[in-house]
Amino acid sequence: MKKQDRRIARTRKALIGAVIELGLERGFESVKVKDITDRADVGNSTFYRHYKSKDDLLGSHLSEIQQEISRGMYPEMTHYELSLLVFTVIGTHRDACLLAMRLPDDHPVIKPILKRATQTVNARYKARDETIIPLEVSANHLVNSFVKLFHWWITEGQAYSCEQMATIANELILKVTESAALDEREASPPPDPDLPQ
């Protein structure tokens, strides 16, 4: 990694750390960009070179966490493995996730995160033929149930391990919602390497 790239990475890490610390201390809405740059010991012009606003700063970090989860997913994952992946990543980024969970669902930082999570559920599942529950309702329920469980787990000091929480989420949320309303979609076969793409 080049010296300039390392400096940019350090600057971003300092800014992200500052917004999370300040947001947890004071509440995200009361934090100003100047507070963030002072805490991170970074100039205002440097902040605006990387981010448009504090919403952009936190939103980009939360998107990176969401991408970390997506990169770890594969179609053959069991429900337990999927839940374990999510709890492990959330646990690793505990403070950022706690700050995010303190924001209302319609906050401009949170809305796209919840929307992408719901799209992931919609891509993995379809409504059961015999259910009267629309897919959008089931997907919304699944995402919000996980968010509430994450919030409880984090605020209670992570007293249960990621493995225990994955089992709980699997039994309490995934199995129940599936049995009532959802079927997994068939995974699309991998592309044939001999055919032109």
Side-chain angles (χ1 to χ4, degrees):
M1 187 184 274
K2 288 189 251 178
K3 188 175 181 180
Q4 184 176 5
D5 292 341
R6 283 197 299 269
R7 193 174 72 237
I8 290 169
R10 275 196 309 271
T11 298
R12 288 185 172 167
K13 185 176 179 181
L15 289 169
I16 289 162
V19 75
I20 292 168
E21 286 173 11
L22 289 164
L24 291 174
E25 287 170 18
R26 304 179 190 175
F28 183 72
E29 294 307 328
S30 68
V31 176
K32 307 284 186 249
V33 169
K34 176 97 170 75
D35 301 327
I36 297 166
T37 55
D38 286 350
R39 177 72 61 97
D41 196 21
V42 170
N44 265 16
S45 60
T46 301
F47 177 93
Y48 287 110
R49 194 174 309 129
H50 298 288
Y51 303 102
K52 295 179 206 145
S53 64
K54 67 177 184 177
D55 286 5
D56 185 33
L57 169 61
L58 181 59
S60 69
H61 183 58
L62 295 175
S63 292
E64 288 168 6
I65 294 170
Q66 204 167 32
Q67 288 166 15
E68 187 177 335
I69 293 169
S70 295
R71 282 191 303 270
M73 292 170 66
Y74 55 91
E76 300 81 21
M77 278 182 121
T78 65
H79 293 105
Y80 171 80
E81 290 169 331
L82 181 59
S83 297
L84 181 58
L85 167 69
V86 176
F87 274 97
T88 301
V89 173
I90 296 286
T92 302
H93 300 282
R94 177 197 178 279
D95 288 346
C97 294
L98 180 58
L99 177 58
M101 289 173 203
R102 289 181 178 174
L103 298 175
D105 290 351
D106 62 350
H107 192 282
V109 169
I110 301 305
K111 259 177 110 166
I113 301 295
L114 293 176
K115 183 177 180 181
R116 281 193 297 269
T118 304
Q119 287 169 340
T120 300
V121 172
N122 285 332
R124 186 173 178 118
Y125 292 102
K126 61 183 181 178
R128 293 179 73 114
D129 291 338
E130 67 275 15
T131 189
I132 59 165
I133 305 169
L135 178 59
E136 65 181 343
V137 174
S138 300
N140 180 65
H141 168 73
L142 203 59
V143 168
N144 283 294
S145 296
F146 262 91
V147 169
K148 292 297 182 193
L149 191 58
F150 297 144
H151 187 264
W152 176 85
W153 180 58
I154 290 171
T155 55
E156 291 300 311
Q158 296 169 269
Y160 297 93
S161 69
C162 292
E163 292 79 9
Q164 289 172 306
M165 291 307 297
T167 299
I168 291 166
N170 187 33
E171 295 297 318
L172 194 61
I173 301 171
L174 284 169
K175 281 187 179 179
V176 174
T177 307
E178 271 193 1
S179 68
L182 297 172
D183 279 329
E184 286 198 65
R185 294 182 189 274
E186 288 184 27
S188 52
D192 187 334
D194 296 328
L195 293 176
Q197 300 298 311

